[in-house]
Amino acid sequence: MSTADRESDQAGMVRRLVLVQHLLLVVLVVVGVARALATGTAPLPLLLASAALLLWYAVGARAASVRLREPGPRSSGRTDGGLRAGGWWLLGLVACWLVATAVSPDLVWVAFSVWLLAGHLLPLRGAVVLGLLVLVVVVARGGHAEGWSTAAVVGPSVGALFALALSRGLQALVRDNAERRRLIASLVAAQEEAEELHAELAQAQREAGVLAERTRLSRDIHDTLAQGFSSILLLARAGTATDDPVGQRRLLDQIGASAADHLDEARRVVGALAPAPLESGLTDAVRRIAGRFEDETGVEAQVRVDGDVGGLPPPLEVTLLRTAQTALANVRQHASAHRVVLTLAEAGESVRLDVVDDGRGFVPGEETGARRETPSRGGYGLRAARERLRELGGDLEVESGPGRGTAVSAHVPRGTGRAPRRSW
């Protein structure tokens, strides 16, 4: 059975108990009046007293029902500065009952309903005090027919105790039910808040995914298309600067080959596939881009391999290849070098890539400050390469000086599991 079903059953039980309480008082009054009339009690005073008792009860019955369904906080026996409206109504009901009892002792057993109401409407101490006073009246008037006896004292006492215990137990049950409802409402509110937080977290993750994908695309576009366009632009400028038909033809062939290669690379980037040069391994890919660089620029490009640098996870190979492409692009555009050496080396648990040229060099701090590393003015490639390497647990260092060439050194741990998201 679900929690909602249990609550519904308990609420139905409370309603039935309230109805039984109302019917009990009516039955006790009717039976008392019938017995009193049978014993010769004057009808008019009896009917007036009984009518007043029932009318007063009907006026305050709603208060008793509300107190049953919505009990207040647990009482320590104090009246909290005075009786509530239900308590005053109960005292009025006791007064009506005393009048009816004075008219006929047969109405004394309406006291059972009074004991029940005392347990519902009064704090425990007040209910006990009122119950004892009513018990005294019952015992005093209850032996009118047979005279005083043990049963005349024990019977009402047991009835009073039972009525008070029953009413207090019912109050505890209703109070626990109300507390359970408040707890369930609190849990529902907490669940709704958790769902809202989950939705916010999911939105934040989606935004982070979008940002990561944009970062990936910006890196790949820079490392492939932008460098390809830069290469084609330099070759085209070289072609316009010479009148040698053979040289122009060779440059046009190089432009066509570079455009075809980078078009294929663009398709692979869009399809999120591995770069074509890596299909035969990192070493061959670096040699291939170095050979193309030498053909296009006339700058001698040498590749050295020191140790075992094969068998790397694809994210490591891609990152090192992109770093080599970025370094060569910087040599092409800024270094005015005659020779560049690319070294792939095994360094313990890491793999290192060094790109060293004999160009004009620069002051790293001044170059960074002048360029502010904006994609529109250049300088973005090394920053993106450094971010890629750091995502894999590696790093990138640049050493240079005016007239001393430039050395770009990248290293990354072999076999790291922290791969960038779809870096290729």
Side-chain angles (χ1 to χ4, degrees):
M1 181 182 295
S2 66
T3 302
D5 293 337
R6 287 196 296 270
E7 287 188 356
S8 178
D9 290 345
Q10 290 179 353
M13 181 185 67
V14 170
R15 286 192 295 270
R16 290 190 293 271
L17 288 175
V18 171
L19 179 60
V20 168
Q21 180 172 291
H22 297 337
L23 292 177
L24 176 62
L25 184 133
V26 173
V27 169
L28 290 175
V29 171
V30 171
V31 171
V33 169
R35 290 191 59 183
L37 291 175
T39 57
T41 303
L44 183 58
L46 177 64
L47 294 178
L48 289 176
S50 300
L53 177 63
L54 292 174
L55 181 61
W56 183 262
Y57 180 82
V59 170
R62 177 173 177 79
S65 301
V66 170
R67 180 61 181 255
L68 268 173
R69 295 189 179 94
E70 301 293 338
R74 296 182 183 273
S75 174
S76 60
R78 309 174 76 176
T79 58
D80 299 330
L83 291 174
R84 296 176 182 270
W88 287 111
W89 168 81
L90 178 60
L91 293 181
L93 182 68
V94 172
C96 293
W97 170 74
L98 289 175
V99 173
T101 302
V103 174
S104 173
D106 291 300
L107 292 173
V108 73
W109 299 113
V110 177
F112 191 82
S113 291
V114 174
W115 286 324
L116 287 174
L117 291 171
H120 293 317
L121 300 177
L122 298 179
L124 179 59
R125 185 179 301 175
V128 171
V129 172
L130 182 61
L132 290 176
L133 294 177
V134 172
L135 179 61
V136 170
V137 176
V138 171
V139 172
R141 297 289 286 168
H144 68 285
E146 295 82 8
W148 294 98
S149 64
T150 303
V153 176
V154 174
S157 299
V158 172
L161 183 62
F162 175 76
L164 285 174
L166 178 63
S167 61
R168 299 303 295 186
L170 180 60
Q171 280 291 92
L173 175 64
V174 175
R175 185 180 293 109
D176 290 342
N177 186 45
E179 184 67 24
R180 186 180 294 106
R181 289 200 304 270
R182 285 191 289 269
L183 178 59
I184 291 175
S186 176
L187 290 176
V188 170
Q191 182 178 3
E192 293 176 351
E193 183 178 359
E195 291 177 352
E196 292 178 359
L197 292 175
H198 179 73
E200 293 177 0
L201 177 60
Q203 179 64 24
Q205 290 176 339
R206 286 193 293 270
E207 293 175 356
V210 170
L211 180 60
E213 186 66 10
R214 288 177 177 174
T215 302
R216 181 190 73 82
L217 289 174
S218 67
R219 292 171 178 173
D220 287 343
I221 290 172
H222 175 273
D223 292 342
T224 57
L225 301 182
Q227 292 183 10
F229 291 145
S230 176
S231 174
I232 293 172
L233 179 61
L234 291 176
L235 292 173
R237 288 175 177 174
T240 59
T242 180
D243 295 329
D244 181 12
V246 176
Q248 289 180 344
R249 181 64 182 177
R250 181 175 60 84
L251 290 172
L252 286 174
D253 291 341
Q254 291 177 349
I255 290 174
S258 179
D261 289 343
H262 287 91
L263 177 60
D264 183 61
E265 183 67 25
R267 290 169 177 167
R268 293 179 179 274
V269 169
V270 172
L273 300 176
L278 287 181
E279 292 176 356
S280 57
L282 176 62
T283 302
D284 289 343
V286 172
R287 287 197 174 103
R288 196 159 23 248
I289 64 172
R292 184 188 305 150
F293 171 83
E294 183 173 347
D295 291 340
E296 294 175 353
T297 63
V299 177
E300 179 185 355
Q302 183 179 359
V303 177
R304 299 174 181 174
V305 178
D306 184 7
D308 182 13
V309 295
L312 298 178
L316 301 188
E317 292 186 335
V318 170
T319 300
L320 291 174
L321 178 64
R322 296 303 191 206
T323 303
Q325 289 175 322
T326 297
L328 290 177
N330 287 339
V331 173
R332 180 199 302 268
Q333 296 177 23
H334 309 297
S336 299
H338 299 89
R339 185 169 181 266
V340 59
V341 178
L342 295 87
T343 303
L344 284 171
E346 180 182 16
E349 297 298 323
S350 300
V351 176
R352 178 176 295 274
L353 169 68
D354 297 324
V355 181
V356 181
D357 67 71
D358 60 356
R360 61 187 179 187
F362 64 95
V363 178
E366 292 180 359
E367 181 74 6
T368 301
R371 293 180 180 274
R372 297 296 181 188
E373 294 191 349
T374 58
S376 62
R377 299 181 59 189
Y380 174 77
L382 289 179
R383 179 166 63 88
R386 181 177 289 111
E387 291 175 356
R388 286 175 181 268
L389 291 163
R390 287 178 177 175
E391 288 179 2
L392 294 168
D395 206 347
L396 182 141
E397 299 174 357
V398 179
E399 296 181 2
S400 185
R404 296 193 294 113
T406 302
V408 176
S409 179
H411 65 89
V412 65
R414 179 191 292 269
T416 180
R418 292 183 297 167
R421 295 183 181 178
R422 300 175 66 91
S423 298
W424 55 90

